Amino acid sequence: MTERDAVVNVDVGGYASAPTRSERRRRQRAPWWLWAASTAVLIPVAVPLAALMFRAVGGTDSAWQTLFSSRTAWLMIRTGVLTASVTASATAVGVAGAWVLSRTSLSMKRAWGVAFAMPLVIPSYAIAMVLVSASGPRGMLSTTLGIPLPHLVGFAGAWLALTISTYPYVFLITAAAMQRLDPSLEEVARSLGARPWRVFRTVVVPQLRPAIGAGALLAALYTLSDFGAVSLVRFDAFTRVIYAQYAGRLDRTPAIVLSAVLIIAALAIIAAEQRTRGTGAYFTNKPSRPPAQYSLSPARHAVATAFIALVVGVGLVLPVGVLGGWL
């Protein structure tokens, strides 16, 4: 940038003039080395994707029959319902946990916060294996509690296993964003008579929209790409059917076509998340002071503790306990 570009234009009244469109573009333009590094990273990813799309488009008649078959449409519906359900439940659990552990007077918040995020280190197939083995009339939980429990297979097992595996993404991102919120906005809303729930719904959540969207995007993409959990609970999602088509047939064109459809679905989810996020800045990087902590009544403290304990019990204590029992 030259000295002329760095000079701020001042009009007669002494006020700085707004930057022109060319100046804004010049300020937002990335340096050449960043473009080179991005290209070097994208080439190994783009080449196999391009080859897969080329083979899918140039396939035989069986490729088009697979693409427009009723089984593929039903498979898209099943995978879409699973992805939407897991994303919604993981977002709800992650945002609620971030609020309770970041902005309330809950006891032992540090220990609860570590335990709440620990399911992130357990693979989804291990969680699914534990759920399948512990549930059912002859499962470990039924034997221990003496109560016959339903078998967590199919959609229910896949939804629960993937929700446990993905809600820590939403929790960690949202909790970090909550620490950077400007508390003055909430204080103004409370001074105008807004209740805590209304402050959270109308002031806090809009500021957290980019963070919540990023966590939900990770949950959705994780659900689309997961293979181990859906295979163990015997739920026919895209990944399980693609593997069956690839390993069990000599003609691998159907597997290639289904893989291309799965990639297009993932790109559509990414585009939708970017469209809803927008370009606005929703929070400050350096708040003037830490946010206020909401004091919980004894009843609400008990409810919050029960919620955190339930999630930790299902997502951490149950898998570790079942694996320890096997050992």
Side-chain angles (χ1 to χ4, degrees):
M1 181 181 295
T2 63
E3 293 182 0
R4 183 178 181 180
D5 295 330
V7 174
V8 179
N9 296 324
V10 181
D11 59 9
V12 178
Y15 296 97
S17 60
T20 62
R21 181 177 299 180
S22 60
E23 291 176 348
R24 290 196 299 267
R25 289 180 178 177
R26 186 164 55 251
R27 293 174 183 176
Q28 297 175 356
R29 188 176 301 168
W32 66 268
W33 57 266
L34 187 59
W35 282 99
S38 302
T39 304
V41 172
L42 289 177
I43 287 177
V45 179
V47 169
L49 294 182
L52 182 67
M53 292 296 181
F54 179 78
R55 291 192 59 182
V57 172
T60 59
D61 294 338
S62 61
W64 299 104
Q65 292 176 1
T66 303
L67 181 61
F68 296 105
S69 64
S70 58
R71 188 164 186 263
T72 302
W74 178 240
L75 184 62
M76 292 179 63
I77 294 174
R78 289 170 61 89
T79 305
V81 171
L82 177 65
T83 303
S85 302
V86 171
T87 303
S89 57
T91 302
V93 174
V95 173
W99 172 260
V100 171
L101 295 173
S102 299
R103 305 298 295 277
T104 65
S105 59
L106 186 72
S107 304
M108 301 173 57
K109 287 195 297 184
R110 287 182 176 271
W112 282 124
V114 174
F116 202 81
M118 282 300 291
L120 188 64
V121 304
I122 305 177
S124 60
Y125 62 85
I127 295 177
M129 179 178 60
V130 166
L131 294 177
V132 171
S133 302
S135 62
R138 298 183 180 180
M140 184 176 294
L141 282 179
S142 299
T143 305
T144 303
L145 300 176
I147 303 174
L149 299 176
H151 210 181
L152 290 175
V153 294
F155 177 83
W159 167 78
L160 183 56
L162 291 174
T163 298
I164 295 172
S165 299
T166 55
Y167 84 80
Y169 294 111
V170 185
F171 164 69
L172 293 174
I173 297 175
T174 306
M178 281 186 179
Q179 300 299 324
R180 298 194 300 267
L181 295 181
D182 189 355
S184 61
L185 300 177
E186 302 174 44
E187 294 170 358
V188 171
R190 289 198 301 270
S191 66
L192 295 175
R195 307 288 293 178
W197 168 246
R198 187 176 181 182
V199 173
F200 175 76
R201 181 172 52 88
T202 60
V203 178
V204 177
V205 171
Q207 297 181 83
L208 293 176
R209 190 171 68 177
I212 296 175
L217 176 64
L218 290 176
L221 295 180
Y222 189 99
T223 304
L224 280 180
S225 63
D226 180 79
F227 170 73
V230 295
S231 299
L232 286 172
V233 300
R234 300 190 296 275
F235 180 80
D236 282 338
F238 259 108
T239 51
R240 185 169 186 254
V241 175
I242 289 171
Y243 177 78
Q245 294 285 344
Y246 187 86
R249 299 182 59 172
L250 295 177
D251 184 12
R252 293 173 175 174
T253 303
I256 295 173
V257 172
L258 293 178
S259 300
V261 174
L262 183 61
I263 293 172
I264 294 174
L267 294 177
I269 291 176
I270 296 174
E273 191 275 334
Q274 291 182 346
R275 186 175 182 84
T276 57
R277 181 176 53 185
T279 58
Y282 295 90
F283 53 83
T284 58
N285 292 326
K286 294 182 179 180
S288 57
R289 58 188 182 279
Q293 300 292 313
Y294 286 86
S295 180
L296 298 176
S297 62
R300 293 181 178 179
H301 190 279
V303 173
T305 304
F307 165 71
I308 299 297
L310 176 62
V311 176
V312 172
V314 177
L316 179 63
V317 177
L318 178 62
V320 173
V322 172
L323 294 175
W326 289 346
L327 289 178

